[in-house]
Amino acid sequence: MLNYLKKNIPLLIFVGLTVVVALVMTVLDIQKYIGYREAQRLIGVYTEEIRANVAKTPSHNKKNLDAINEDKAKLTALLYDAQCRYGKIHRAKLIEFAKAIGTNESALLNDFKNYHNGLKEKAKTSGENDKDIYDGFVQTLFTVDKKIDLQKKAKVEAALAVFTTYASEYIHFKGESAYKCFLEALGLPVTGTLRTMNDLLFHMNEAELGKMIPGFDPKEFDNDKRRDVLENFYVSPIKVNVDQFELAYRQFAIKSDLYKKMTASGISKVISLKNIPPPVADKQKNPAEPASNSDLEGKLDGKYMVYTYEIKLTGQMNSIRKLLDSLSNAHKENRIYNVRDIQLERLFEAESKENIKKSFEEKENVKFDKDGNVSEAYGKILVGKDRDVTCNLKIDYIMYVDDMIKRTPSTADKK
């Protein structure tokens, strides 16, 4: 055996090297396996750590938190300012009122919501308790520790006097109804009973309507045609049920603003102005209930209510342009109008082909009359004398309604 090994030393060396290499490879493999197992363990640890971190609130320091809160406040204010453009028409006066009594708009609105939420008798559909709500809230503005602060009371009364003067600019807030304007500014929609609505609509005389509606003919407003005129230009109260007083007042307010803009633009005549309600699958679910006036309704689109109107009017082109400009710039008054369609027509009976031909046949445009003098008919304008055009408009009025206070029905509302 020894001789055999001596004779095969190269083989012995090879075998030895092979064994050594095998041992080295085995050791390396064991080390790699141990490293692999350790890596698996660490992966499990880190995975759990990641899951735990995901579940935690992101960490931040005070500086970052202050910056985040500051940006949040700015974005909230910008969003609210944008939303107010959609129908918060009394906002400027409410801000002025709040400043006059030593507070701000946000605090005033929150105080009123909290006050209303704490009432046992919430605002009713008919508005029967609105005056009590108004009086009660106003008293809280100058009451400190259940005692009246005379200095604050004087400030509140002075600020309310300014607001009342502003409210009187609207026909539906004149006189004793001025408090409703203040409540509307605080988020409580305007409403009333059928009696107050009839008083508003039927006590408008011909002169008032003539000032408001361009081209209105007082002769059309006799007793026989009164209801038809109101239905064509405003609201017909005979069709309004007990749940729609709020909608009727809103329609009155929107249409009044449109007439105001038309008058300021120099529109010659309003032929009709009607609200186009969204399709209603079942207009009358309960035959025992009063008839529903779907013409008052708008379309709820998320947090916004959209009222669509079809308007037919006549006026010169520059007046129509002024009207469209005023609708476009209404956002400055916190009103948003969207002009969806406009059609212009110019067809007058005096300018028809037949009448123009007749004018020539009657020789109205001959230069000299039978006495040899220049005829007064010579050079008579046959086309373009009347510069008015007929305009058909389809527009939307958009309101932000998500923050409005909801009214509750009462037995008195059914009367």
Side-chain angles (χ1 to χ4, degrees), residues 270-281:
V270 180
I271 300 172
S272 64
L273 193 163
K274 294 184 179 181
N275 180 45
I276 308 300
V280 179

Side-chain angles (χ1 to χ4, degrees), residues 164-352:
T164 299
T165 301
Y166 158 76
S168 65
E169 297 174 6
Y170 297 88
I171 188 172
H172 54 298
F173 291 139
K174 287 183 177 180
E176 298 179 355
S177 298
Y179 72 90
K180 293 184 179 182
C181 183
F182 185 69
L183 292 178
E184 184 179 37
L186 292 171
L188 186 62
V190 181
T191 190
T193 62
L194 184 58
R195 177 181 176 182
T196 58
M197 189 178 303
N198 276 323
D199 288 344
L200 172 65
L201 293 171
F202 285 98
H203 287 179
M204 286 192 301
N205 56 37
E206 294 84 346
E208 288 177 319
L209 285 171
K211 290 179 181 178
M212 295 176 66
I213 306 175
F216 178 76
D217 185 359
K219 296 178 182 178
E220 297 179 1
F221 206 59
D222 57 26
N223 291 329
D224 295 333
K225 298 180 179 179
R226 187 176 292 256
R227 291 187 184 277
D228 294 335
V229 169
L230 289 174
E231 185 171 2
N232 192 41
F233 292 105
Y234 271 109
V235 176
S236 178
I238 197 171
K239 294 183 179 180
V240 180
N241 69 27
V242 292
D243 298 319
Q244 295 181 313
F245 296 141
E246 178 183 320
L247 295 178
Y249 273 91
R250 187 172 295 168
Q251 289 288 346
F252 183 92
I254 296 171
K255 291 180 179 181
S256 294
D257 182 65
L258 285 169
Y259 291 136
K260 180 181 177 182
K261 286 177 168 51
M262 292 175 190
T263 300
S265 300
I267 296 300
S268 301
K269 181 178 178 62
V270 180
I271 300 172
S272 64
L273 193 163
K274 294 184 179 181
N275 180 45
I276 308 300
V280 179
D282 185 5
K283 295 183 179 179
Q284 192 63 49
K285 295 182 179 180
N286 185 359
E289 289 292 323
S292 173
N293 183 5
S294 62
D295 290 347
L296 300 174
E297 297 171 2
K299 178 182 178 182
L300 186 62
D301 187 358
K303 298 179 180 181
Y304 298 84
M305 185 68 72
V306 181
Y307 296 96
T308 302
Y309 297 92
E310 285 186 351
I311 308 169
K312 188 172 185 178
L313 52 84
T314 61
Q316 296 182 16
M317 286 299 299
N318 61 336
S319 297
I320 294 173
R321 290 192 190 97
K322 287 180 181 179
L323 174 60
L324 294 175
D325 286 342
S326 67
L327 295 177
S328 178
N329 293 325
H331 65 90
K332 298 176 183 177
E333 310 164 19
N334 284 3
R335 301 178 190 269
I336 299 296
Y337 290 101
N338 174 40
V339 179
R340 295 174 55 184
D341 187 35
I342 178 170
Q343 296 179 5
L344 299 174
E345 299 177 4
R346 194 179 187 284
L347 180 61
F348 298 97
E349 186 64 26
E351 297 181 7
S352 65

Side-chain angles (χ1 to χ4, degrees), residues 79-89 91 94 105-106 109-110 112-114 116-117 183-189 246 250 300 302-305 399-407:
L79 176 61
Y80 181 72
D81 185 66
Q83 290 168 339
C84 284
R85 295 289 182 184
Y86 292 80
K88 307 297 182 185
I89 58 177
R91 188 189 182 198
L94 186 68
E105 176 194 23
S106 178
L109 290 172
N110 286 332
F112 181 72
K113 284 186 178 180
N114 292 334
H116 183 264
N117 290 337
L183 292 178
E184 184 179 37
L186 292 171
L188 186 62
E246 178 183 320
R250 187 172 295 168
L300 186 62
K303 298 179 180 181
Y304 298 84
M305 185 68 72
M399 295 182 65
Y400 178 72
V401 296
D402 190 58
D403 63 342
M404 286 186 178
I405 295 174
K406 303 294 187 297
R407 291 181 175 273

Side-chain angles (χ1 to χ4, degrees), residues 30-168:
I30 291 173
Q31 288 179 340
K32 283 189 176 182
Y33 178 73
I34 293 172
Y36 172 74
R37 295 284 295 181
E38 178 65 13
Q40 276 193 320
R41 186 187 70 80
L42 291 175
I43 288 173
V45 172
Y46 294 148
T47 300
E48 290 302 320
E49 186 177 345
I50 290 171
R51 288 176 181 171
N53 287 336
V54 169
K56 291 180 181 178
T57 302
S59 59
H60 48 256
N61 55 39
K62 186 177 183 306
K63 184 177 179 181
N64 289 339
L65 181 60
D66 291 343
I68 290 171
N69 288 334
E70 185 179 348
D71 289 343
K72 179 181 177 182
K74 288 180 180 179
L75 289 173
T76 301
L78 288 172
L79 176 61
Y80 181 72
D81 185 66
Q83 290 168 339
C84 284
R85 295 289 182 184
Y86 292 80
K88 307 297 182 185
I89 58 177
H90 309 305
R91 188 189 182 198
K93 285 297 176 182
L94 186 68
I95 292 174
E96 183 180 316
F97 172 86
K99 185 177 180 180
I101 66 171
T103 184
N104 58 60
E105 176 194 23
S106 178
L108 191 63
L109 290 172
N110 286 332
D111 288 345
F112 181 72
K113 284 186 178 180
N114 292 334
Y115 170 78
H116 183 264
N117 290 337
L119 294 174
K120 290 183 180 179
E121 292 286 336
K122 303 291 191 297
K124 305 293 180 59
T125 306
S126 63
E128 64 186 73
N129 58 341
D130 280 8
K131 189 63 167 62
D132 293 333
I133 293 173
Y134 167 82
D135 291 336
F137 177 69
V138 168
Q139 190 167 358
T140 66
L141 298 177
F142 51 77
T143 302
V144 181
D145 296 330
K146 298 183 179 180
K147 294 181 180 179
I148 295 177
D149 186 321
L150 295 178
Q151 188 175 2
K152 281 190 173 182
K153 183 179 180 182
K155 286 184 178 181
V156 170
E157 288 178 347
L160 282 175
V162 173
F163 199 99
T164 299
T165 301
Y166 158 76
S168 65

